[in-house]
Amino acid sequence: GQNIDQPTEMTATEGAIVQINCTYQTSGFNGLFWYQQHAGEAPTFLSYNVLDGLEEKGRFSSFLSRSKGYSYLLLKELQMKDSASYLCAARTGANNLFFGTGTRLTVIP
Amino acid sequence: DAGVIQSPRHEVTEMGQEVTLRCKPISGHDYLFWYRQTMMRGLELLIYFNNNVPIDDSGMPEDRFSAKMPNASFSTLKIQPSEPRDSAVYFCACRSGGQSDTQYFGPGTRLTVL
């Protein structure tokens, strides 16, 4: 079957760095996405990894290890507006995205 | 571009009623996806279309659910009859071709079945 595990909740301080981990077991793995979702809003794309390694995009970075079935999202210089849910999703096949239940991040002053 | 448009944004109905959710994808995006999001199960893919043709409907929970895409700019998700366990947020998403292209989500329809 398919499974994605990520922590349910995390809390971090404004200005700090936080790492959100995701482990996955899927068949036909074809890439790993991270989405951000503010409460009551639609998910928005943050990053995509298909090869092993780190992808950096401003304050956000994402890492993938295919052999370990592991990814993380790194958020630097946290801001209050970063309080949101972060969804890890594995692409299986050509178009199917299998999502985890998300990690709700709370940034405190 | 206005992005993905969904209507209605909120729907409250009684058990047994028919519910129709609507989606207008981004122009030129030939893949369209319907998702359901609940606290317990997260975001689940229900069905997706490519060039208006349903490709994978394995996520559709049961025969009460049906989806259509009569043209490139419009899709519907229908629930008949609706049940309280169908209460969720339903998202429509779309993407263009290519392996790394992301999916763009609409604002969602919050459905409450009493």
Side-chain angles (χ1 to χ4, degrees):
Chain A
Q2 321 255 48
N3 189 55
I4 288 182
D5 286 315
Q6 48 181 134
T8 305
E9 293 190 15
M10 297 182 72
T11 301
T13 304
E14 190 176 15
I17 299 173
V18 71
Q19 178 174 312
I20 302 174
N21 296 322
C22 169
T23 57
Y24 62 89
Q25 301 92 39
T26 62
S27 56
F29 178 79
N30 195 18
L32 196 292
F33 288 78
W34 284 96
Y35 279 79
Q36 180 190 58
Q37 186 177 25
H38 285 99
E41 298 183 9
T44 56
F45 170 77
L46 286 179
S47 69
Y48 171 69
N49 295 67
V50 64
L51 300 176
D52 285 0
L54 187 68
E55 294 276 346
E56 297 187 75
K57 192 185 294 186
R59 293 190 300 113
F60 292 14
S61 302
S62 57
F63 171 83
L64 176 66
S65 168
R66 295 178 69 126
S67 61
K68 296 182 179 177
Y70 168 69
S71 173
Y72 67 74
L73 180 69
L74 194 71
L75 292 76
K76 304 175 187 175
E77 302 170 15
L78 278 175
Q79 302 175 10
M80 299 299 290
K81 67 178 182 179
D82 296 330
S83 292
S85 287
Y86 291 86
L87 310 178
C88 171
R91 193 213 295 265
T92 61
N95 287 292
N96 294 40
L97 283 188
F98 182 76
F99 282 84
T101 52
T103 298
R104 185 163 59 196
L105 173 67
T106 301
V107 180
I108 58 176
Chain B
D1 199 320
V4 180
I5 299 172
Q6 290 188 246
S7 65
R9 295 293 311 276
H10 301 272
E11 177 81 22
V12 180
T13 190
E14 292 188 347
M15 182 174 63
Q17 296 298 305
E18 177 180 294
V19 174
T20 299
L21 311 181
R22 298 172 177 80
C23 174
K24 176 179 168 55
I26 296 170
S27 177
H29 284 208
D30 47 13
Y31 289 88
L32 184 139
F33 305 82
W34 282 101
Y35 290 89
R36 176 173 67 178
Q37 187 174 39
T38 60
M39 289 290 290
M40 291 298 295
R41 300 174 66 88
L43 204 56
E44 302 173 283
L45 176 65
L46 300 177
I47 184 172
Y48 81 87
F49 296 81
N50 179 214
N51 291 322
N52 314 335
V53 177
I55 303 300
D56 184 351
D57 65 355
S58 59
M60 296 286 262
E62 45 196 280
D63 292 346
R64 298 184 297 106
F65 285 68
S66 63
K68 294 182 180 179
M69 192 164 187
N71 57 63
S73 59
F74 183 65
S75 177
T76 59
L77 178 68
K78 186 175 293 187
I79 308 172
Q80 165 63 20
S82 58
E83 297 182 2
R85 60 189 167 127
D86 302 331
S87 297
V89 181
Y90 291 81
F91 288 102
C92 174
C94 64
R95 77 166 182 89
S96 58
Q99 279 296 299
S100 65
D101 282 355
T102 186
Q103 295 184 16
Y104 296 88
F105 283 76
T109 296
R110 181 173 295 277
L111 174 65
T112 303
V113 183
L114 303 173

